[in-house]
Amino acid sequence: MSNESNPFGGMAGQYATNVQFGAAPANGAAPVADLIKDTTTAAFSADVIQESRKQPVLVDFWAPWCGPCKQLTPVIERVVQAAGGRVKLVKMNIDDHPAIAGQLGIQSIPAVIAFKNGQPVDGFMGAVPESQIRDFIDKIAGKDGGQPQIAEALAAAAEAREAGDLQTAVQIYDAVLEQVPDNIDAIAALADILFEAGDVEGANEVLARAPDDKKSAAALVSVRTKMALAEEAAALGDSAELERRLALDPGDHQARFDLAMIQNAKGQRTEAADNLLAIVKADRTWNDDGARAQLLKLFEAWGFTDEVTLSTRRKLSSLLFS
């Protein structure tokens, strides 16, 4: 898309990214009967991995005994049907087919993972409202009304941020929010940039822009959790002192827990996760299973598909169910 046709293109500059967004299946929308199906471990590769190379596929992990799963099923099926072929829905009963859920580190259901181009790209847990499912599908598969331009702008902003060009990233996010004030991705990213720059008040002001029916969106929850964890870590003191305590007594779980909090605040995710996993392994009862509960908070802050989240979930599952 040229800069002339994209109002955000001039800001994107060298960060312009090719984004496949909202493309319809080559032969038109799929019949409703083909949009939703059940799958098995053996069929997962064909039903999800290969199919997601044509259009996004949502995988709903559920079980017959799960009450929230029964609440989510009719809602997500209705939204997928209304999306007219932009996404497909594949349902997997984890009682009958636990392997895939285990590989993805899923510990609670319902859990929905979106696959694109053969890879998991996003997800959510719980019986979320219909409006949130629609927003999720729009984010994954795109929608009409200028969304391809906005998607390109968000991709360019993300590239600018990764390159360290925060000024350009902020300008693009601001421009997106002028056009679409309730764009959750722009709100979350802008708030995160401000928070990392030390402007906590500004970050909170940006987060407050989210409409009430979207305040529980995963991207916003992630930023709020990250901010809360950093505030807690700031009150824990010197990491060197905690390391000294652990050297004297490796069983000092409070010192290990506090050190993990500080490590997370410094961006040392793997080290933080390993310390909390060590507590879980040594004593599940410590602080009312506090280490495991803290890991779940970290997963929320890091994001559903973050590499450290996924690897730590697998390690945690191994500890809990071995």
Side-chain angles (χ1 to χ4, degrees):
M1 181 174 295
S2 69
N3 288 345
E4 293 180 359
S5 61
N6 187 340
F8 311 108
M11 297 179 183
Q14 72 268 34
Y15 304 113
T17 304
N18 292 322
V19 180
Q20 184 177 0
F21 196 77
N27 297 323
V32 169
D34 296 335
L35 295 178
I36 302 170
K37 68 185 301 184
D38 293 293
T39 194
T40 64
T41 303
F44 188 85
S45 179
D47 290 344
V48 178
I49 304 301
Q50 297 304 320
E51 194 64 27
S52 72
R53 302 185 190 281
K54 303 174 186 176
Q55 78 281 304
V57 176
L58 308 185
V59 184
D60 176 15
F61 293 94
W62 68 284
W65 46 263
C66 169
C69 297
K70 296 175 183 178
Q71 297 174 11
L72 177 67
T73 294
V75 179
I76 194 170
E77 289 184 352
R78 182 166 62 247
V79 177
V80 167
Q81 291 171 357
R86 287 184 293 139
V87 298
K88 289 189 174 183
L89 175 65
V90 172
K91 298 183 289 184
M92 175 165 270
N93 181 340
I94 66 168
D95 281 355
D96 295 338
H97 305 283
I100 301 297
Q103 291 171 14
L104 290 171
I106 291 172
Q107 294 179 329
S108 63
I109 53 174
V112 175
I113 305 290
F115 281 75
K116 290 179 71 173
N117 297 319
Q119 298 291 329
V121 294
D122 207 345
F124 63 85
M125 290 183 289
V128 304
E130 183 170 338
S131 61
Q132 192 169 326
I133 298 173
R134 286 197 301 267
D135 290 341
F136 181 78
I137 290 177
D138 287 341
K139 175 184 176 183
I140 296 300
K143 64 179 180 180
D144 295 331
Q147 290 300 318
Q149 296 178 353
I150 293 172
E152 288 182 4
L154 292 173
E159 287 188 39
R161 183 181 182 184
E162 186 173 349
D165 188 354
L166 299 183
Q167 182 177 359
T168 296
V170 168
Q171 288 176 345
I172 298 173
Y173 288 130
D174 279 337
V176 168
L177 291 172
E178 286 181 8
Q179 299 291 323
V180 190
D182 63 348
N183 186 282
I184 296 303
D185 288 331
I187 290 173
L190 183 56
D192 195 38
I193 289 175
L194 292 173
F195 172 68
E196 291 192 348
D199 186 359
V200 177
E201 183 179 353
N204 280 319
E205 289 176 357
V206 172
L207 289 172
R209 298 185 196 177
D212 290 341
D213 63 342
K214 295 183 179 180
K215 287 189 183 297
S216 61
L220 300 181
V221 171
S222 176
V223 177
R224 287 196 295 267
T225 303
K226 178 179 179 179
M227 293 172 66
L229 289 170
E231 184 178 358
E232 293 174 22
L236 295 177
D238 183 14
S239 60
E241 171 61 20
L242 296 171
E243 290 170 348
R244 186 192 66 79
R245 285 170 54 184
L246 282 173
L248 294 173
D249 179 12
D252 187 342
H253 297 328
Q254 188 63 58
R256 192 176 298 280
F257 182 93
D258 291 348
L259 179 60
M261 294 285 289
I262 293 174
Q263 288 171 327
N264 175 64
K266 292 180 177 179
Q268 299 169 349
R269 294 182 178 181
T270 300
E271 293 84 349
D274 286 346
N275 271 319
L276 292 173
L277 286 169
I279 298 173
V280 173
K281 182 177 182 180
D283 185 1
R284 278 288 306 279
T285 64
W286 179 80
N287 200 19
D288 292 329
D289 204 11
R292 185 188 67 84
Q294 192 67 20
L295 274 172
L296 298 182
K297 288 184 181 179
L298 294 185
F299 297 158
E300 190 173 62
W302 296 342
F304 198 84
T305 57
D306 178 82
E307 289 183 7
V308 180
T309 297
L310 293 174
S311 64
T312 306
R313 278 189 184 277
R314 286 192 289 269
K315 293 175 184 177
L316 181 60
S317 295
S318 205
L319 285 176
L320 297 179
F321 304 115
S322 60

